[in-house]
Amino acid sequence: NAGVTQTPKFQVLKTGQSMTLQCAQDMNHNSMYWYRQDPGMGLRLIYYSASEGTTDKGEVPNGYNVSRLNKREFSLRLESAAPSQTSVYFCASTGWDGYTFGSGTRLTVV
Amino acid sequence: AQSVTQPDIHITVSEGASLELRCNYSYGATPYLFWYVQSPGQGLQLLLKYFSGDTLVQGIKGFEAEFKRSQSSFNLRKPSVHWSDAAEYFCALDRGSTLGRLYFGRGTQLTVWP
């Protein structure tokens, strides 16, 4: 089925560990996004990529890095996880047909 | 700058009652506006969107929203709420012209009493 696929769905990290959240879309969309969702805060943009080969910071980029590997894939990396990065992470893409969100990654940093 | 405000953090209604969730935005031009719903532990589902044209927009699950430029509002309504409507609702804005990033409100949690 066409859409945005995120992996993993759940992850527990210890403080200081690193990990990469993967996102892939098969709708040939140019733009891709990483959001984080925290209670009472809505969704806040971490990073986005308007097209293959470009990335830009959003509202809350500190502690994260991204890679737009190709048109399909946009990964989010936590180099040294902190408890403040405990959150639900959503990947999204946009094209002529609108926005599509992934199902989310629930990350807990202990 | 642009922003979205959802003034109500939590709303409780009885099943069968009418519902209105408020959304106000701040933006210098006419934005694209969206309402999303999120059930516990789930992703975001698009209820409806406004790009241009008719200011009353119909969505899925019996929801509608009205864009009021003079009030910078895009309130979500449903005539009769069902228990399955209990969820969190997010209003979001795109700056328009071409689809780009979304700016989200903080959400309104809806509880439905039987």
Side-chain angles (χ1 to χ4, degrees):
Chain A
N1 292 333
V4 176
T5 302
Q6 290 183 235
T7 55
K9 293 189 182 302
F10 301 94
Q11 184 72 48
V12 179
L13 288 179
K14 294 182 178 179
T15 298
Q17 286 185 317
S18 63
M19 79 161 294
T20 299
L21 280 63
Q22 307 287 352
C23 175
Q25 54 92 6
D26 56 5
M27 297 167 288
N28 203 36
H29 286 171
N30 285 321
S31 300
M32 298 185 72
Y33 310 82
W34 276 106
Y35 292 88
R36 61 176 286 173
Q37 182 182 23
D38 303 291
M41 299 297 292
L43 279 75
R44 294 178 293 169
L45 185 67
I46 305 171
Y47 270 93
Y48 66 101
S49 171
S51 61
E52 186 179 353
T54 68
T55 61
D56 288 285
K57 295 179 181 179
E59 297 172 70
V60 288
N62 291 345
Y64 305 96
N65 286 300
V66 291
S67 296
R68 184 73 182 267
L69 305 170
N70 48 55
K71 193 170 186 179
R72 291 187 63 248
E73 298 172 288
F74 187 39
S75 62
L76 179 71
R77 183 161 178 83
L78 287 71
E79 291 291 351
S80 178
S84 60
Q85 295 178 305
T86 294
S87 188
V88 180
Y89 292 85
F90 287 98
C91 179
S93 68
T94 58
W96 65 269
D97 51 345
Y99 299 93
T100 303
F101 284 86
S103 58
T105 296
R106 187 173 295 274
L107 175 67
T108 302
V109 182
V110 298
Chain B
Q2 57 288 306
S3 65
V4 177
T5 302
Q6 293 180 246
D8 304 305
I9 296 172
H10 194 181
I11 283 183
T12 300
V13 299
S14 298
E15 191 170 18
S18 63
L19 172 70
E20 182 169 30
L21 301 182
R22 295 184 291 166
C23 173
N24 295 100
Y25 69 89
S26 174
Y27 183 53
T30 301
Y32 296 162
L33 293 162
F34 305 80
W35 275 100
Y36 287 89
V37 61
Q38 184 182 37
S39 298
Q42 301 298 310
L44 295 166
Q45 182 180 22
L46 178 67
L47 285 175
L48 47 78
K49 59 189 177 187
Y50 172 78
F51 283 4
S52 65
D54 192 345
T55 57
L56 185 62
V57 181
Q58 301 297 321
I60 62 171
K61 304 185 178 188
F63 285 93
E64 66 177 27
E66 186 171 11
F67 171 63
K68 293 186 176 180
R69 187 193 309 274
S70 61
Q71 298 177 20
S72 297
S73 69
F74 189 56
N75 293 348
L76 182 70
R77 302 193 293 245
K78 187 169 185 178
S80 177
V81 171
H82 188 263
W83 63 267
S84 61
D85 293 324
E88 190 158 24
Y89 292 79
F90 294 96
C91 182
L93 171 156
D94 180 286
R95 291 182 291 189
S97 69
T98 56
L99 291 178
R101 62 157 293 180
L102 286 172
Y103 296 84
F104 285 87
R106 295 193 175 194
T108 297
Q109 183 69 47
L110 174 66
T111 298
V112 180
W113 284 25

